[in-house]
Amino acid sequence: MTDVRQWIVPGRVNLIGEHLDYNGGPVLPMAIDRTLTIKVRRRDDDTVNVWTDRPGSSKSSFPVTVQPGDVGDWASYAAGTVWSLGQSGHTFGGADIVIESGLPSNSGLSSSAALTCGIAAAIDELFALGIGRTDIALIAQRAESGYVGAPVGIMDQLAVLYGEADHAILIDTQAAPPTTTPVPLGWEDAGLVLLVIATGAHHSLADGEYAARRDECERAAAELGLDHLADAGLDATVNLTDEVFKARTRHVLTETARVRGAVSALNRGAWPQLGQIFTASHESLRDDFEVSCPELDVAVEAALEAGALGARMTGGGFGGSVIALVPLDKVAAVRERVDARYEARSWKAPETFVVHAAGGARLV
Ligand code: GLA
């Protein structure tokens, strides 16, 4: 059928800058060559139909005037996007939308941002709404915060929209609107690959704990008289009285420094340093920010034991994926060591695969 449009939308990994996007700090994600495919066509009425290939899920239908609370479960991301487009004053008709996911489930590779950004971009193009990519990112973010109920930052949306082959995307989250700058990646020329270890773990506290971390950071910033915790000075960890606030702030300060260090290491091709920065980030997320979990920690340890230059959890935490910077000739050893460590704990084997930096959402 000629009137069907097909969009390819990438997932993302965050290289460094974890839990900084809602704290006004810099973040450095990259879009990856694992994607979601969205097929859309216009309808003559005001109904939106969405189908997905997720096991056990069926079709969802709702009107373009859908409101928060009307649609739940996986389809709330689609309904939320339609609602959020309306909230921004856009007028459009119904559509049939088919989603095929090439992202492993519970992988923390931003299938939700791929879905919301992809649907917003598809509707924008279908009805010639003329929305820019940054506004699409903000509309998608509101779909999650205002409809799904997850108070996420803006990193994932900008990563899946502005991704570029062979580049990471440095995001200034404090600029209004946030800005993106491509940063060239050169590790493949140096015989290294970026490995994703998708643990498949998803701890049920993930959503509540994400909101709790965000709240703690906002309260710590308020106590310091700051709008953004990333702007705190080194004295902040002394001036704060609450030990939890101190630890969260320590992560935000050291992680901000690690982003700068990682950009410098990338520019210089200083791969061992980049690896060390990854590992230090993991330790900070585990000990100070407390968003790791045993599956992530074991994957990081196993990767390092088998010769990775560095490894860290990526994304929100409490499950999802680890990234590891690995010499090409150590990839098999890392995979074997991770599998063996998981088997010893009777955990399901993770999915381990190489990713390359890829382009953002595109119509094909
Ligand atoms: C999730 C959120 C992002 C970001 C990360 C943590 O992926 O969607 O906005 O806060 O967690 O860095």
Side-chain angles (χ1 to χ4, degrees):
M1 263 191 300
T2 52
D3 62 346
V4 175
R5 310 273 219 275
Q6 181 169 320
W7 284 78
I8 302 289
V9 196
R12 68 95 187 90
V13 296
N14 186 17
L15 291 180
I16 193 86
E18 216 64 86
H19 287 274
L20 290 191
D21 60 351
Y22 55 83
N23 280 308
V27 296
L28 189 69
M30 65 180 224
I32 59 174
D33 51 351
R34 286 281 177 130
T35 61
L36 205 74
T37 301
I38 301 179
K39 292 179 186 144
V40 288
R41 77 171 165 214
R42 270 177 94 127
R43 291 178 57 85
D44 294 333
D45 59 16
D46 283 343
T47 299
V48 179
N49 295 314
V50 194
W51 292 263
T52 143
D53 61 355
R54 276 174 66 115
S57 56
S58 52
K59 173 186 161 191
S60 176
S61 296
F62 47 85
V64 291
T65 52
V66 67
Q67 290 300 306
D70 291 353
V71 177
D73 198 21
W74 65 272
S76 63
Y77 291 90
T81 304
V82 167
W83 166 79
S84 185
L85 280 162
Q87 290 289 301
S88 288
H90 299 292
T91 312
F92 48 94
D96 290 329
I97 305 174
V98 178
I99 298 150
E100 292 158 19
S101 180
L103 294 163
S105 59
N106 291 334
S107 61
L109 300 176
S110 273
S111 55
S112 52
L115 184 58
T116 53
C117 291
I119 290 178
I123 291 178
D124 169 50
E125 194 273 336
L126 213 50
F127 294 93
L129 302 178
I131 312 173
R133 288 220 156 190
T134 301
D135 285 328
I136 287 180
L138 293 165
I139 285 166
Q141 181 191 29
R142 182 173 50 206
E144 284 203 55
S145 60
Y147 197 104
V148 179
V152 295
I154 193 68
M155 169 172 76
D156 304 343
Q157 298 79 1
L158 290 171
V160 306
L161 288 163
Y162 283 101
E164 279 188 29
D166 305 321
H167 290 76
I169 304 299
L170 181 63
I171 301 175
D172 178 346
T173 65
Q174 242 182 78
T179 56
T180 57
T181 310
V183 176
L185 302 173
W187 57 63
E188 291 183 3
D189 293 338
L192 300 166
V193 291
L194 192 72
L195 210 57
V196 166
I197 305 163
T199 69
H202 176 74
H203 292 276
S204 53
L205 32 98
D207 304 338
E209 290 292 317
Y210 183 92
R213 290 301 174 283
R214 195 174 171 146
D215 182 60
E216 287 159 1
C217 289
E218 281 164 8
R219 283 159 57 204
E223 202 174 311
L224 295 164
L226 298 169
D227 288 339
H228 303 285
L229 194 53
D231 289 340
L234 276 179
D235 57 331
T237 51
V238 180
N239 291 337
L240 288 165
T241 47
D242 185 288
E243 288 304 321
V244 170
F245 286 7
K246 273 190 193 180
R248 306 299 187 242
T249 304
R250 199 159 48 230
H251 168 73
V252 169
L253 292 185
T254 57
E255 186 78 352
T256 299
R258 281 188 289 270
V259 177
R260 312 275 181 228
V263 171
S264 155
L266 280 168
N267 289 336
R268 289 178 292 122
W271 310 118
Q273 281 94 328
L274 183 64
Q276 283 161 14
I277 291 170
F278 280 5
T279 306
S281 168
H282 185 75
E283 288 162 2
S284 178
L285 288 157
R286 181 191 65 202
D287 301 337
D288 280 339
F289 217 66
E290 297 182 277
V291 290
S292 191
C293 64
E295 291 88 343
L296 293 167
D297 294 342
V298 166
V300 166
E301 282 164 28
L304 294 173
E305 284 164 13
L309 298 186
R312 60 181 293 271
M313 54 157 277
T314 187
F318 302 105
S321 293
V322 159
I323 53 169
L325 190 62
V326 182
L328 207 45
D329 61 358
K330 300 269 172 61
V331 168
V334 167
R335 190 176 278 130
E336 278 164 29
R337 181 68 64 104
V338 173
D339 286 356
R341 296 281 305 269
Y342 267 55
E343 204 184 326
R345 298 213 176 198
S346 305
W347 291 338
K348 188 173 168 283
E351 226 182 293
T352 303
F353 48 91
V354 173
V355 286
H356 307 278
R362 56 206 175 266
L363 184 63
V364 290

